[in-house]
Amino acid sequence: MVWAIAVSPLVMVLGMITGLRRPAHWAAAAGVALAAVLIWWLPDFTLPGDVLATGAGGAGLLVLNAAAVMLPGVYLSQVLTRREVHRSLQEWVRGLPLAGPATIALVVAGIAPTVEALTGFGVSLLVTVPVLLALAPPATALRQAMLGMNIMPWGTLGLATVIGAALTGRETAAMGTATAVTSSLVFPLVTVWAALLTRPQRRFRTAVMAAGAGAALALGLLALNRAGVVQPAGVLAGLLTTTVGLVLCALRRSRSDAGAESAGRLLPPRTVLHAYGLVLGGIALTRAATAAGVPTLALHAGNASFALLSSPGLPLLAAALLLDRGRPHIPDARAALVRVGRPLLTLTGFVALGRLMADSGMLGELGTAVAGAPPLVAALAAPALGMLSGFITGSNVGGNALMMPLQERLAPSGAGLDAWFAALQNSAAGHAVFTSMPMIMLILAVAGDRAQTAGVTEHTLLRFGLRVAAAIYAALAVTAMALVSFA
């Protein structure tokens, strides 16, 4: 029964967040405290001083990796909002000459992933919620906005995938490619669901169109990650999906008399292209510099590392400064610090909890307890645990920090199954974040009075989110069983 004690910190965290509705950072702190007490009290769990020091150093670098992207990313989002880049994008989407379901599919599979992959933290909701509210009733629009939040493994320039690779000691490109495979069924699923919420007359035709948009996003992610382009993969795949949709629209519209006018409206605003181009150009420049042999200024501790020149934080910060002509905007910087403070504190707590449980042997006890389970049982359990971690923490990165070491131990012995189970964790945690309470509250906050007038509450969206999460679990479970069966 040692395994039951070993799992108690996770049970406490889950109970505090879902039962007592305590903030995630307090739940993480309580889990860390309980884990520390168990290590001190029970001889089954030991944590020598040298292991503790190494683990603390590795955990610190993981948090530094996250902070180096989160702070500049949120600062950039503040700059984009102040300079009305987000507003320009909203107006452009609302003016697209597309039918309602096609616009929804383009938003969910193209525009929302692009914005969220660039900035993270649900910033894409600032763009998508007003657009969707202009296209559908509030009850429908807010559900569609939730479905647009499924790019998380590549959100904030692939932060969760980078952290997941660091936690497992694997190459980032390998983790990204495997995650693109395990997530491949999810993107068509959520895009079709969002389009069918409009109750179109031609449901089959709409479903095929939306599935094509979701498949384009999935294939773009797979191709980019296989090419080693992991951090900007979400941005580029979202842009690719958007471009394909707009080109098809332009070809269709060119047959009519209004073709030239419609084609003009299909081009994004110059301010949007300029802002996104600065970030992608900065990433390309830093990659070229490292390829040319410029030192990356790396730090190493445990199995983690932080390389300043390889981090997307520098391109994000550079883009924000260039948009403001080199002058830092102090109010935006303060606002970014406030917005990042609690998520970063929460992440620190879950990274610490994950390291304590892994280094003291708690996760080893859990792994031993399930080692005798049939491979298909492990395949069914892996996506469930991953989605639970994303729901609990409200973060793909936090979910990985909490559950990634256990997922590797769950993997049946086989050809690289531990790598696939790590990817399943990355996918499952990311695809569950959209139904977490922090994300739901953000959606309602952006919608404001429109949500209250329509009677849309957090419980309404949570029930919807859990239904979608069940379908996402089924898609991930099918993928997991296929991986185990053919290993």
Side-chain angles (χ1 to χ4, degrees), residues 75 79 83 278 317-329:
Y75 177 66
V79 174
R83 299 188 71 85
L278 285 175
L317 181 60
L321 292 175
L322 287 172
L323 287 171
D324 278 338
R325 299 181 181 179
R327 294 189 299 270
H329 193 267

Side-chain angles (χ1 to χ4, degrees), residues 151-170:
I151 195 64
M152 288 303 187
W154 293 272
T156 320
L157 290 176
L159 179 60
T161 299
V162 172
I163 296 296
L167 286 166
T168 59
R170 291 186 170 81

Side-chain angles (χ1 to χ4, degrees), residues 186 189 377 379-385 387 468-479:
V186 174
L189 169 66
V377 173
L380 292 173
L385 289 172
M387 294 187 74
V468 179
I472 291 175
Y473 168 76
L476 292 172
V478 167
T479 303

